[in-house]
Amino acid sequence: MSTVAEWMEGYMPTRTRVAVGGDESAPRTRPKNRKAQIAAVAAEAFSERGYHAVGIDDIASAVGVSGPALYRHFPNKYALFVHAVESLSQALLDATDAARCERDDPRQQLQAVMVAVIGVTLENRRRGGLYRWEGRYLEKTDRENLRLEVLALRQRIADPLSTVRPELDRAHLGLVTSAVLSVIGSVTAHRSALPPKQIEAFLLSICWSVIDIELPQIGSSTATKGVKVTKQIPGLVRTSKREVLLHEAVLLFYERGYHEVSIEEIGAAAGITASSVYRYFPSKADLLAAAFHRASDRLNVTLGSALAESETPLQAVRTLAEMYVAVFFAQSELLAVYFAEIGNLPDDARAELRKIQRLNIEEWAHLCVEARPELTVVQARFLVHAALGLVFDVGRVVGFSEAERVSALLCATLLG
């Protein structure tokens, strides 16, 4: 496996003579480590555009080589994908393995491990989506290998954390560990800019807020109970065929990924033929776009409701956190598709919906600045991305339950 140093290795030119115009010659440079260069470009493309949307020719063109030249290093696109994922996970394990031996004090050891994870994450910021979304396209053996590596990384956080917070039970420890890694990984989901040292310090402050929080007991909140009831009661049967199609499509996209689902399968799940699906949606992409607009509407309504029910910015942030978690957990499949599949939308729809997403982030960020005047808007954006990512990442760990605890983590992320 390659280390992060190999990943990030720049051009190391050697001089090669190439004949030009008869006897004349001109120097040409060639990268010393072409394989590492290809891996880095591929990882970035897979992360930003998705595994299925990226072709070998796209990667070869970005590197400046031909397709056959690329195949000399990797036999196929999947092998390149696996290499990209494994390189990133190995870089994280290498960095944290070294960091955890640097300190005897558990709190300092935990700090050192988090700094190591942040460093590798920032170095690979444009490639982090490989973990959050694209790992589902790994084959069974490779997916299991990734799972074990992620567990090992989690343990690097959990070991010192269990000493720093010895009163935490196993479930609570897992929850906080997931939250810490989610906060750090959130920088891969956006391009807000700060100097690296400022990002490191800011992420560490968020992580310590999450680590030091006293989480409420499970089941004490009406919000939590409400989410559980929503999950257990099947509700009334949908009568609109369009709504049935949209609902079944979202479930399939969530379970298997957009590219792994066909119109025929969506129609069958809705109880109609594939040809009948087109009476309601012109294409599978239109189904995905409709899901995005539905999710966006849910989030906008949540924000509006939180503002309407609050008298101060601080109260609004806390109300919004509770409402957002309740909405997300009640419709986790829809919101997961909203965050995971935007790269699969057509260009025009993707541009429109990214604009909507950015506006939503800005609303949250400005609300945070009103609640915490010491923040800049840019810092608030980092907070908001960390908070929204945390809800999804921790939600998956707890099966989209324990809404009150996740709300508390969300508040700690936003308010410190």
Side-chain angles (χ1 to χ4, degrees):
M1 292 185 182
S2 301
T3 67
V4 69
E6 291 173 318
W7 262 50
M8 302 305 294
E9 183 175 356
Y11 287 91
M12 300 290 289
T14 57
R15 301 182 73 82
T16 304
R17 308 298 292 182
V18 181
V20 179
D23 293 334
E24 297 180 2
S25 61
R28 188 178 72 177
T29 60
R30 179 177 297 171
K32 181 181 179 181
N33 193 338
R34 179 73 81 184
K35 184 174 183 177
Q37 183 194 12
I38 292 170
V41 170
E44 190 171 310
F46 289 140
S47 179
E48 294 194 346
R49 295 168 52 199
Y51 175 68
H52 286 284
V54 177
I56 282 290
D57 289 341
D58 298 324
I59 298 168
S61 176
V63 176
V65 300
S66 66
L70 190 150
Y71 284 122
R72 287 201 293 270
H73 299 282
F74 297 96
N76 52 49
K77 186 175 81 167
Y78 181 75
L80 181 51
F81 178 58
V82 172
H83 179 85
V85 173
E86 289 181 343
S87 296
L88 182 54
S89 63
Q90 190 60 47
L92 288 164
L93 291 175
D94 289 345
T96 53
D97 191 46
R100 65 179 178 167
C101 300
E102 292 178 357
R103 303 285 189 276
D104 293 328
D105 179 80
R107 197 169 181 91
Q108 291 180 352
Q109 187 181 91
L110 180 55
Q111 173 96 347
V113 171
M114 292 191 296
V115 167
V117 176
I118 291 170
V120 174
T121 303
L122 290 179
E123 288 174 348
N124 297 276
R125 189 174 179 183
R126 298 179 71 90
R127 302 162 193 166
L130 284 170
Y131 271 145
R132 182 165 282 174
W133 311 125
E134 300 307 309
R136 58 190 163 167
Y137 296 121
L138 290 171
E139 294 175 1
K140 184 177 181 180
T141 300
D142 296 317
R143 191 164 58 248
E144 176 62 15
N145 289 338
L146 176 61
R147 187 185 71 83
L148 294 175
E149 289 170 342
V150 170
L151 285 175
L153 178 62
R154 288 170 57 87
Q155 202 61 44
R156 306 282 168 86
I157 299 288
D159 285 343
L161 176 58
S162 64
T163 306
V164 171
R165 297 287 307 275
E167 75 281 7
L168 299 183
D169 59 28
R170 184 175 179 180
H172 192 157
L173 186 66
L175 201 69
V176 176
T177 299
S178 298
V180 167
L181 289 173
S182 179
V183 165
I184 296 172
S186 67
V187 297
T188 66
H190 63 98
R191 298 292 170 259
S192 296
L194 285 173
K197 280 298 180 183
Q198 287 188 30
I199 297 176
E200 177 187 293
F202 201 55
L203 290 177
L204 284 172
S205 70
I206 302 171
C207 288
W208 282 115
S209 294
V210 167
I211 290 167
D212 292 333
I213 188 176
E214 294 296 333
L215 292 181
Q217 294 298 314
I218 297 176
S220 62
S221 167
T222 56
T224 307
K225 294 175 184 176
V227 171
K228 289 183 177 179
V229 170
T230 303
K231 284 291 185 180
Q232 291 173 351
I233 296 175
L236 299 176
V237 176
R238 292 174 174 83
T239 57
S240 165
K241 190 57 69 176
R242 187 180 190 280
E243 287 298 311
V244 172
L245 282 167
L246 184 57
H247 175 73
E248 296 297 336
V250 165
L251 293 180
L252 288 169
F253 294 157
Y254 173 75
E255 290 171 2
R256 293 161 50 195
Y258 174 79
H259 280 280
E260 300 296 322
V261 177
S262 68
I263 282 288
E264 289 77 11
E265 290 170 315
I266 295 170
I272 63 176
T273 63
S275 59
S276 297
V277 175
Y278 295 113
R279 289 162 45 193
Y280 302 95
F281 296 95
S283 67
K284 188 172 74 166
D286 287 289
L287 260 167
L288 182 61
F292 265 77
H293 283 290
R294 179 64 54 82
S296 180
D297 289 343
R298 295 284 189 273
L299 297 180
N300 286 333
V301 168
T302 301
L303 178 60
S305 298
L307 294 173
E309 294 184 17
S310 304
E311 296 181 355
T312 67
L314 189 60
Q315 182 186 2
V317 171
R318 289 173 174 153
T319 302
L320 180 57
E322 183 172 302
M323 286 185 171
Y324 179 81
V325 172
V327 169
F328 200 123
F329 282 16
Q331 302 184 54
S332 55
E333 297 90 355
L334 175 63
L335 273 298
V337 168
Y338 176 74
F339 285 111
E341 300 289 357
I342 193 166
N344 292 313
L345 289 168
D347 290 343
D348 55 345
R350 184 166 64 250
E352 177 191 357
L353 283 159
R354 281 202 187 280
K355 181 179 179 181
I356 293 172
Q357 286 184 338
R358 284 194 295 270
L359 290 173
N360 189 52
I361 294 293
E362 287 301 299
E363 290 281 358
W364 280 64
H366 283 284
L367 182 59
C368 286
V369 171
E370 290 181 13
R372 298 180 60 185
E374 76 277 10
L375 296 176
T376 67
V377 173
V378 176
Q379 289 174 324
R381 289 191 197 114
F382 276 85
L383 285 178
V384 172
H385 281 288
L388 299 184
L390 182 149
V391 174
F392 178 75
D393 293 331
V394 177
R396 283 195 297 185
V397 171
V398 297
F400 298 106
S401 62
E402 302 186 28
E404 188 185 10
R405 285 187 165 187
V406 178
S407 296
L409 289 169
L410 182 53
C411 280
T413 303
L414 294 173
L415 298 175

